[in-house]
Amino acid sequence: MAYSDKVLDHYENPRNVGRLDEDDENVGTGMVGAPACGDVMRLQIKVNKDGVIEDAKFKTYGCGSAIASSSLLTEWVKGRTIEDAARIRNTEIAEELGLPPVKIHCSVLAEDAIKAAISDVKKKRGEAVDAE
Amino acid sequence: MPRTFQVDAAELESRYKQLQAAWHPDRFTVADDSKRLQALQKTSLVNDAYVTLKSPLKRAAHLLALQGVDAEEHNQAHFGADFLYRQMILREQLEALGEQEDMAGLDAMKAEVSSETNAALEEFEALYGQGQFSEAKQRYNRLQFLFKLLDEIDAVEENLLDY
């Protein structure tokens, strides 16, 4: 199966790979996995006091589509508020990257990861976490 | 064969060979069309059954399916955050060992992950036996990550040996 140019670009030059300090109370960590492919994804955001995401980092062990989905998402969430970032849907990621149907679950994983990271930072700050 | 998680490998092999021989299409070359078709269908069923029973993962998924549990349906909360953290750390460790070409380290890691895998297999069997299918499914999902990791350790090792 051929990857789209956008997937290849993110796969070959992933943006924002790395980690943020998990113990920082302004850092939210989302750790998610896809058992069927054994993929594991860590997505972290650093949120300022106004609720704006100042930095985002990720590390993904998985296929090109999973790496590209998380890489693209870190680009998208930077500068957005966490409320705004929580509204990003996997379909937008899949569309932007031109993911084929068999790879849609990779974009779902990225959406799960940002939601988990947002819940984590909210929990750390003692804010109410939206029930899923 | 008994419907249990533990499978007697020797019995599986011998039953497979028996059934394969019994339904081998070569035996039905002069039979009528419907018999030939039946032989083909049986052969394919026997092959599927063999592949399923031989793999611990496929066997576990099949046992869950027999209880009406969809093994592939999952949500992130179900895996356990600690488990996912550990999976991430293990994959980072594997990456580092590969870069350092540390064969001894890779062997040690393989032994460690194998023992975690065996523990999870035992837990699956026990939970399934007790009828705790939701918990058993969680172990199945964990096993999917662990078997993938074992494959990846093998791939890194093979890569280094070729080099």
Side-chain angles (χ1 to χ4, degrees):
Chain A
M1 184 197 61
Y3 281 124
S4 71
D5 289 346
K6 279 178 184 162
V7 170
L8 281 178
D9 179 35
H10 278 278
Y11 179 68
E12 283 163 8
N13 311 293
R15 332 289 201 257
N16 308 311
V17 171
R19 76 187 311 164
L20 300 169
D21 178 10
E22 270 160 44
D23 298 326
D24 184 333
E25 68 159 21
N26 296 314
V27 170
T29 301
M31 192 76 86
V32 293
C37 16
D39 291 0
V40 191
M41 182 183 288
R42 178 184 67 221
L43 197 147
Q44 295 178 298
I45 50 172
K46 189 177 168 86
V47 183
N48 72 14
K49 61 176 172 31
D50 300 321
V52 174
I53 298 171
E54 289 183 325
D55 200 5
K57 296 274 183 207
F58 84 97
K59 181 74 198 180
T60 295
Y61 289 94
C63 67
S65 300
I67 291 168
S69 295
S70 38
S71 171
L72 173 69
L73 191 56
T74 56
E75 279 195 320
W76 275 1
V77 299
K78 276 200 209 178
R80 292 206 200 188
T81 63
I82 47 177
E83 285 72 23
D84 199 11
R87 281 194 287 269
I88 297 174
R89 290 275 99 60
N90 81 285
T91 45
E92 299 167 57
I93 300 168
E95 194 177 323
E96 173 69 16
L97 294 173
L99 297 182
V102 292
K103 292 290 178 182
I104 297 298
H105 67 276
C106 299
S107 63
V108 175
L109 197 60
E111 185 188 317
D112 287 344
I114 186 68
K115 283 182 179 159
I118 291 170
S119 308
D120 185 48
V121 78
K122 281 186 170 177
K123 244 180 251 167
K124 278 183 178 173
R125 291 174 165 189
E127 293 169 20
V129 176
D130 302 333
E132 276 296 313
Chain B
M1 297 193 59
R3 191 182 280 185
T4 53
F5 183 60
Q6 285 295 337
V7 165
D8 180 335
E11 192 193 350
L12 176 62
E13 291 299 322
S14 84
R15 293 283 291 147
Y16 174 55
K17 294 211 172 88
Q18 237 174 50
L19 287 167
Q20 213 187 17
W23 291 104
H24 199 283
D26 286 356
R27 297 181 47 149
F28 297 88
T29 45
V30 292
D32 59 42
D33 282 354
S34 72
K35 265 280 175 205
R36 275 218 304 275
L37 182 64
Q38 192 194 9
L40 274 176
Q41 287 168 339
K42 290 279 185 191
T43 301
S44 138
L45 188 66
V46 166
N47 285 336
D48 284 352
Y50 174 71
V51 168
T52 302
L53 290 177
K54 204 172 162 62
S55 146
L57 262 189
K58 291 197 169 108
R59 205 156 67 223
H62 184 67
L63 284 170
L64 289 169
L66 289 176
Q67 298 298 334
V69 178
D70 179 357
E72 303 311 327
E73 181 279 325
H74 61 265
N75 71 63
Q76 291 298 333
H78 193 66
F79 304 137
D82 290 349
F83 178 80
L84 287 175
Y85 268 97
R86 171 125 181 95
Q87 289 305 302
M88 187 51 104
I89 288 165
L90 286 168
R91 278 158 178 77
E92 284 172 339
Q93 193 184 330
L94 176 60
E95 198 173 29
L97 290 170
E99 279 163 12
Q100 294 154 13
E101 302 185 10
D102 182 349
M103 278 309 269
L106 285 165
D107 284 342
M109 184 179 179
K110 197 166 159 180
E112 198 183 331
V113 176
S114 298
S115 97
E116 281 180 34
T117 305
N118 289 334
L121 284 169
E122 281 171 21
E123 285 170 18
F124 173 86
E125 188 182 9
L127 289 164
Y128 188 87
Q130 292 156 15
Q132 298 186 47
F133 302 124
S134 168
E135 286 296 300
K137 186 171 98 88
Q138 185 213 49
R139 296 313 191 282
Y140 165 75
N141 290 141
R142 289 182 173 187
L143 282 163
Q144 288 178 292
F145 289 106
L146 290 166
F147 276 107
K148 177 75 191 298
L149 183 58
L150 286 172
D151 284 348
E152 280 168 8
I153 298 172
D154 282 343
V156 170
E157 284 196 335
E158 273 165 30
N159 208 8
L160 288 184
L161 290 172
D162 283 346
Y163 190 71

